[in-house]
Amino acid sequence: MTEQAPLRVCIYGAGAIGGWLGVRLARAGHSVSVVARGQTLANLRAQGLCLQESEQTQRVTVRASDQPAELGVQDLVVIAVKAPALLEVARHIAPLLGPATMVLTAMNGVPWWFFQGFGGKFKGTRLQAVDATGGIAAKIAAPSVIGCVVHASCSQVSPGLVQHHFGNTLIIGEPSGEKTPRVMRLAQLLVGAGFDANVSEQIQKDTWYKLWGNMTVNPISAITGATTDLILGDELVRSFISSVMLEAKEIGARIGIPILQQPEDRHAVTLKLGAFKTSMLQDVEAGRTVELDALVTVVKELGTLTGVPTPQTDTLLGLARLHAGAHGLY
């Protein structure tokens, strides 16, 4: 692979973020394919992958199939599904993977590879909340993975049609923290596709920092239906959120990713974004399974692992799990 050479890129999960990434990469000249099913597959074949951005609709032709074997080995596979779907992806991803294939995980929450090449005495620990059977790690080899933290807001207008709202930052990094030639080349490729792409020296820290904000606001929005401005504008709710964040902050300190900010600092950042619907609220409204385990259950597990009590996190998890289960979304 060279910087100039177009890549064979497969998007596994052409939802909001996957669709945004796919259109941008196709526009940059890369050969983009998509694994999709149902109406999304039909729409991609009929009209391509569409992105509404800056009051314009961009449409690109992609090769789409529900059979990864039809698409063949790729240079880059972008996994952009919700966490509950990941085990099913792992079971079918093999035909896309060759010895040099990079697997970029553009997902929310704590990933299955979190303790690969990281974590001190916790290094190598498999987290039950995100990979209970080890089936994901067995099918997607750790050396192929590059982590990705997305700081952007997108929504799916309809199958195959995505709306980009704000944000353009992708933080990528090797789980080991090494600045390898491939991760540096991938960053250049993403910049060439129009993203603000940065290489992290510790992608787990960037993952944890994003989680620190959305592990609270996401499930509360799912339960209440409220946008972020209303959630953080309620003094009692904001105080509860802060108490959950302080538990997560202590966990982070014990696994080697301290957060220097206080919860109120993060609230100020979120409030600047205005009124928006979290991804989990979008999932609830669309009747999709919510990714509670990768955002909240895993924090409870990490609390047990590190010896940090998590009573406030447990309360949030219990309420969110009850709400989602009652609505058939968990």
Side-chain angles (χ1 to χ4, degrees):
M1 182 182 77
T2 66
E3 182 184 349
Q4 293 78 21
L7 298 191
R8 292 166 296 174
V9 179
C10 183
I11 308 295
Y12 214 129
I17 295 299
W20 175 57
L21 294 169
V23 170
R24 288 279 195 89
L25 288 165
R27 281 176 43 213
H30 302 287
S31 177
V32 174
S33 59
V34 178
V35 178
R37 296 180 297 180
Q39 193 58 50
T40 299
L41 178 60
N43 287 4
L44 291 175
R45 286 174 167 171
Q47 60 195 35
L49 185 59
C50 304
L51 173 67
Q52 294 177 347
E53 189 171 33
S54 301
E55 300 183 354
Q56 295 181 339
T57 299
Q58 304 159 44
R59 189 184 310 269
V60 297
T61 300
V62 296
R63 187 179 178 195
S65 176
D66 57 359
Q67 300 296 320
E70 293 182 358
L71 305 176
V73 173
Q74 305 289 311
D75 299 308
L76 173 66
V77 176
V78 179
I79 300 180
V81 299
K82 299 292 184 181
L86 188 54
L87 182 58
E88 188 68 13
V89 170
R91 288 171 176 155
H92 296 94
I93 200 172
L96 303 174
L97 306 180
T101 303
M102 296 176 288
V103 178
L104 189 70
T105 56
M107 301 171 63
N108 278 333
V110 174
W112 81 93
W113 48 261
F114 193 69
F115 283 125
Q116 293 297 321
F118 163 82
K121 66 180 181 180
F122 304 112
K123 185 176 179 179
T125 299
R126 173 163 56 86
L127 293 167
Q128 295 288 323
V130 290
D131 193 11
T133 65
I136 298 169
K139 298 294 185 180
I140 306 174
S144 67
V145 171
I146 296 176
C148 178
V149 177
V150 179
H151 288 290
S153 175
C154 300
S155 60
Q156 188 175 51
V157 180
S158 61
L161 174 60
V162 170
Q163 172 75 52
H164 174 252
H165 301 290
F166 60 83
N168 193 49
T169 299
L170 302 178
I171 304 173
I172 66 172
E174 299 276 7
S176 66
E178 297 176 82
K179 289 194 173 181
T180 59
R182 70 170 187 171
V183 79
M184 301 306 293
R185 289 196 298 266
L186 180 57
Q188 291 177 352
L189 179 153
L190 292 170
V191 169
F195 299 104
D196 299 325
N198 306 296
V199 177
S200 173
E201 295 182 353
Q202 192 179 57
I203 192 66
Q204 289 89 346
K205 183 174 183 178
D206 298 285
T207 299
W208 191 253
Y209 180 72
K210 183 177 181 182
L211 177 80
W212 197 51
N214 64 19
M215 70 167 286
T216 52
V217 175
N218 265 270
I220 289 173
S221 71
I223 295 168
T224 63
T227 50
T228 53
D229 60 322
L230 297 177
I231 291 169
L232 291 175
D234 186 294
E235 183 179 347
L236 296 178
V237 175
R238 186 155 81 175
S239 177
F240 172 63
I241 287 173
S242 294
S243 67
V244 176
M245 292 174 72
L246 288 174
E247 293 176 354
K249 181 177 179 177
E250 179 60 26
I251 292 169
R254 296 194 187 188
I255 59 176
I257 41 179
I259 293 174
L260 300 180
Q261 291 184 345
Q262 295 301 319
E264 284 296 331
D265 300 322
R266 183 57 182 269
H267 299 336
V269 172
T270 304
L271 284 168
K272 287 180 181 178
L273 301 176
F276 70 92
K277 293 182 179 181
T278 69
S279 59
M280 194 176 288
L281 177 54
Q282 293 177 41
D283 287 340
V284 169
E285 291 181 341
R288 295 188 291 259
T289 302
V290 296
E291 46 186 354
L292 273 179
D293 289 336
L295 267 69
V296 191
T297 309
V298 72
V299 178
K300 174 179 172 59
E301 180 180 351
L302 285 166
T304 301
L305 189 68
T306 57
V308 177
T310 57
Q312 304 300 326
T313 303
D314 295 355
T315 298
L316 177 61
L317 173 60
L319 290 170
R321 190 168 57 192
L322 183 63
H323 172 269
H327 290 81
L329 305 178
Y330 179 76

